[in-house]
Amino acid sequence: MLADYRSFIERPTSPLERGCTTKLAYTSRREARTRSRHGRHADGSLQAYHCRYCGGWHLGHRRGAFVSR
């Protein structure tokens, strides 16, 4: 199973498409924002954005934002 996942992740794709296929997709912005407030990113460091590839919503760090720990 790990080998299947690794071959899926390492296949040649564009950087934008890869960002889509390796993230969870949410059906709405509200759902994504609700999930962004849970777990280790409860500080609001993740933002919801609409994906042009799958039409869903993903979570990602704001561009240019660096979170130091």
Side-chain angles (χ1 to χ4, degrees), residues 24 26 29-48 59-61 69:
L24 291 175
Y26 300 96
R29 183 176 188 215
R30 173 179 260 174
E31 181 185 9
R33 290 184 73 196
T34 299
R35 293 297 301 155
S36 73
R37 295 185 181 109
H38 292 73
R40 67 184 184 130
H41 294 288
D43 61 355
S45 63
L46 293 179
Q47 300 294 314
L59 294 173
H61 294 279
R69 302 233 181 234

Side-chain angles (χ1 to χ4, degrees), residues 3-62:
D4 291 337
Y5 177 75
R6 197 166 274 154
S7 65
F8 174 74
I9 294 300
E10 293 174 354
R11 76 187 193 290
T13 57
S14 72
L16 289 173
E17 182 184 357
R18 184 171 181 195
C20 173
T21 59
T22 60
K23 294 182 177 182
L24 291 175
Y26 300 96
T27 57
S28 68
R29 183 176 188 215
R30 173 179 260 174
E31 181 185 9
R33 290 184 73 196
T34 299
R35 293 297 301 155
S36 73
R37 295 185 181 109
H38 292 73
R40 67 184 184 130
H41 294 288
D43 61 355
S45 63
L46 293 179
Q47 300 294 314
Y49 67 93
H50 190 255
C51 179
R52 70 173 110 171
Y53 293 104
C54 71
W57 291 82
H58 298 297
L59 294 173
H61 294 279
R62 281 181 265 149

